[in-house]
Amino acid sequence: MWQSSPPGSIYDYIRVASFSIGADGLIEQWSRRAAGLFGMSSAEVVGRDPVEAFMPAELRPDAHRAVSEILDGKEWTGLVPFRIPGENAVRGLAEIYVMPSETETGERAALGIVVDVRALRRIETDLAASQAIFGQSPFGFVLFGTDFTVVRANKRFATVFGGEADDHRGRTVDDYLARPEAERLSSTLRRVLETGDAVTDLQLVGTPPGTTGRRHWSMNLYRVHSGAGRPVGIAGLATDVTQRHIAAREAASARRNLALLNEASARIGNSLDLETTARELLDVAVPGFCDLASVDLYQGLLTGEEASPASWGRHHQESGTGSAELRRVAHASAVSDALPEVFAAGTGSGAEGAGDTGPPALGSVHRYPFHSPCAVALRTGRVEDVPGDERGFVHSTLAVPMVAHDVVVGLVQFSRTKGSESFGERDRALATELAARAAVCIDNARLYRREHERALILQRSLLPPGDPEAAGLDIACRYLPGNTATEVGGDWFDVIELPGHRTALVVGDVMGRGLRAAVAMGELRTAVRTLALLDLEPAEVLSALDEVARGLGTPGGGERSDGFGAGGGAQWPSRAAHKSREADLSEVYLATCVYAVYDPVTRRCTFANAGHLPPVVAEPGEPALLLDVPPGMPLGVGGEPFEEVEVELKEGALLALYTDGLVESRDHPLDEGLDAFRQALAEPSQPLEDVCDHVLTTLDTRHGEDDIALLMARIQGLAPDAVGDWRLPRELRSVGRARELAREQLTAWDLDDLVDTTELLVSELVTNALRYGEGEIRLRLLRDRTLVCEVWDAGLVQPRRRRARDTDEGGRGLQLVGLLSAAWGSRRTPRGKTVWFELALPDGAPAAELSVEQLLSMY
């Protein structure tokens, strides 16, 4: 078969058949398409009566008359049913056009053209559907030819870009879009035509003719083909998504504002220092909300004047000469630290006392002119727009008064530089909210400082930073200061992470009251954390802490009270006498403390006590018990060693450490308070925070005579599958075996990213144990919030990191451990030592590479 026209001709769809009838009324010629249509070959048909050949019997009389008329010179067109070949005698319908013809001898004959009606109807239906879809689509529909010109566009497309639909024929993308967008669309059209891969949600931006607003369109493109499969163009469906973009932008702005407010709630007011609170406000606002910001507070607030806050701003209302004195307490810039002048460029603040060349310096005292926007904002308590300067960096500034309890305490200025959006109404509301939150915190700090200035020393050093967390422990804590504003106590508690996912729990109480007790408490608490980092046994920690307490000394150098020695070590001494305000100053440095170390692998806890109340343990289904831990002597007394007690705790057990303010008061003896505390722990299975609240609400803790510290921990040992523990013989092949065990265990834990580093470091530690240690080697891997590897041996020599000489072939093992691990160290054990290292669990981010300096330091 040959053809000169391209594929996709209409005849490929219609498939016209033909036949001819001779003068005798019999079929002379029968085309191949006729044979395919009627299912009868030319051998079966030629020479036969056409009516008898393929017409149904009931139609043959009329058909014979029609053939006679045709041979008499009449044309005939009609629909003729016929049997469809291969379809179980199903009838089809053919449209036949028969026209008279003549033979060479002049005799009458006929030529017939046959078309399958079903094919015609399909074409008609497809054309109607195509027209309906294309013409009635609510979206812009455009068809590009293979030369990327518009072949056809619908009414919706013409509505957006003007004119009638037919007017767009022959246009190109350059007629609709600016050059960058037009080039991007052209390259996309070319790619779709070449590859046949459809493109969805192509984002385009442009300005329709006759408008000024920018519109956003989402366009889907796909290649269209002829019936023979030849690409004939690219169809495009465009949807106007401008409103969606606007909504998304507004939603993003709302989410940003909510995030800023949430961040402000978390970060502003963490300190009771006025300047710190101002800096916290700017840390939240810059650069998340603005490019530049500054905070001014009334000088009277900062100097602690007792006058009413309202009187600080009354000066400029009465005199009309300007605002009261303010001090610049904080400023921040996301533009450049080298451009402090941008704080004044275009602000129009005109601060007096700031000099003529720049804004008020940090810490300087200044005033704002009476009619300036900043002075108006301070005077009225409303946000004011500060005009910008075309020559400056700043083009939009908000002067926001800091209002707390209907009192203005200062002013914050938020500025945006050129290139950033100007402040809108939503921004004004957010700026007001941020300033108000900071103002409330500042005012609360002012009030609290006036009433509890000395108590701040204790508050800042009391609690461990953040929420205490520990491997294998669920921890909750409470601290309630006494109600006396000027005399604070020395209670403290702490949670300290130790190597091997162990945790140290500490509760202590410095005897005496007042600032000296708080200072001593802070020093002892710091000493405990320092000693804990040495990974000493609990009794050793208390012995060293006792030396620290004794080293604090007494003001007069006299002897300390000996009231604790007479009672013996088996009793818990009553503390009432030592809490008296008339107590000797030397007793400030006497303290009690309980120190416990918990191992989540074995669920064993080792306690040592220095004159403190005993820990309480409540196991599931059992009444709460006081642990029999010898109390020992208070810290600072000296002369007596401390004893250790090791206790295995059940899964889910509750451990409570506390100070005597929880169980002892003038109206309630100690024994009654301890019994009430044990009864309050009757249901230890409740959520730990609820247990703490239940204890504080059940016991009489509101007497205000003493501070209260309560530290509770629920035992949750490490799961067996989170521990890998092996013993290795003292031979060289144990190094390779250790690497193999580590690799298999990390693979089982899905920690493939740590395999290489762990293998290397395990190899170094096991090699050192073989070279310098003694006895059997033990390798242990622990997985919790981090990965910990421990190598045990019986040797007592502690590893020492040293710098290898250039000529040394070894000696760099511990340098590798230090560089590649998050932390490492060693500790003594009852039968030798343990060397350990810790690796952070992978978070999906690529591992940090060692710097050149770190690599060179190893050589």
Side-chain angles (χ1 to χ4, degrees), residues 65-147:
R65 285 193 299 269
V67 171
S68 298
E69 292 176 354
I70 292 170
L71 293 176
D72 288 338
K74 292 184 178 180
E75 293 184 355
W76 182 85
T77 303
L79 299 177
V80 178
F82 64 92
R83 292 186 300 274
I84 300 177
E87 297 190 14
N88 298 323
V90 176
R91 291 189 177 185
L93 191 64
E95 184 171 349
I96 301 178
Y97 171 48
V98 184
M99 65 191 78
S101 64
E102 292 183 358
T103 65
E104 294 179 356
T105 60
E107 292 180 307
R108 296 288 180 89
L111 176 64
I113 304 297
V114 184
V115 178
D116 188 347
V117 174
R118 294 181 305 169
L120 289 176
R121 297 296 178 265
R122 283 197 298 269
I123 293 174
E124 292 174 353
T125 302
D126 290 347
L127 289 174
S130 175
Q131 180 62 31
I133 293 173
F134 198 85
Q136 300 173 20
S137 172
F139 309 109
F141 214 122
V142 61
L143 179 63
F144 293 96
T146 55
D147 59 352

Side-chain angles (χ1 to χ4, degrees), residues 203 255 276 364 399 437 479 506 600 639:
Q203 298 292 316
R255 286 194 299 270
T276 301
S364 65
R437 294 193 180 201
Y479 175 77
V506 189

Side-chain angles (χ1 to χ4, degrees), residues 102-287:
E102 292 183 358
T103 65
E104 294 179 356
T105 60
E107 292 180 307
R108 296 288 180 89
L111 176 64
I113 304 297
V114 184
V115 178
D116 188 347
V117 174
R118 294 181 305 169
L120 289 176
R121 297 296 178 265
R122 283 197 298 269
I123 293 174
E124 292 174 353
T125 302
D126 290 347
L127 289 174
S130 175
Q131 180 62 31
I133 293 173
F134 198 85
Q136 300 173 20
S137 172
F139 309 109
F141 214 122
V142 61
L143 179 63
F144 293 96
T146 55
D147 59 352
F148 309 123
T149 61
V150 175
V151 175
R152 188 177 179 186
N154 68 349
K155 292 183 178 180
R156 179 58 182 168
F157 187 87
T159 301
V160 175
F161 290 100
E164 299 295 330
D166 291 339
D167 297 338
H168 293 271
R169 295 180 186 272
R171 293 185 180 180
T172 66
V173 294
D174 295 299
D175 297 318
Y176 304 107
L177 299 172
R179 184 169 184 178
E181 291 289 89
E183 291 178 350
R184 191 160 64 91
L185 178 55
S186 295
S187 65
T188 305
L189 290 172
R190 188 175 298 105
R191 185 172 69 253
V192 172
L193 182 63
E194 292 174 353
T195 65
D197 296 333
V199 172
T200 59
D201 198 22
L202 175 65
Q203 298 292 316
L204 299 172
V205 181
T207 303
T211 64
T212 57
R214 290 166 60 84
R215 309 297 293 179
H216 294 260
W217 295 285
S218 171
M219 198 164 192
N220 298 330
L221 300 170
Y222 58 93
R223 190 171 70 185
V224 294
H225 309 82
S226 67
R230 178 177 59 88
V232 296
I234 306 103
L237 181 66
T239 306
D240 191 328
V241 294
T242 305
Q243 293 302 319
R244 188 171 71 187
H245 272 263
I246 295 174
R249 187 166 62 247
E250 291 181 351
S253 176
R255 286 194 299 270
R256 182 203 66 182
N257 291 352
L258 288 175
L260 280 172
L261 290 176
N262 182 60
E263 185 180 5
S265 300
R267 297 179 61 180
I268 299 176
N270 294 324
S271 170
L272 292 173
D273 179 75
L274 302 179
E275 290 84 352
T276 301
T277 301
R279 288 193 297 269
E280 290 169 347
L281 169 61
L282 300 192
D283 289 341
V284 172
V286 179

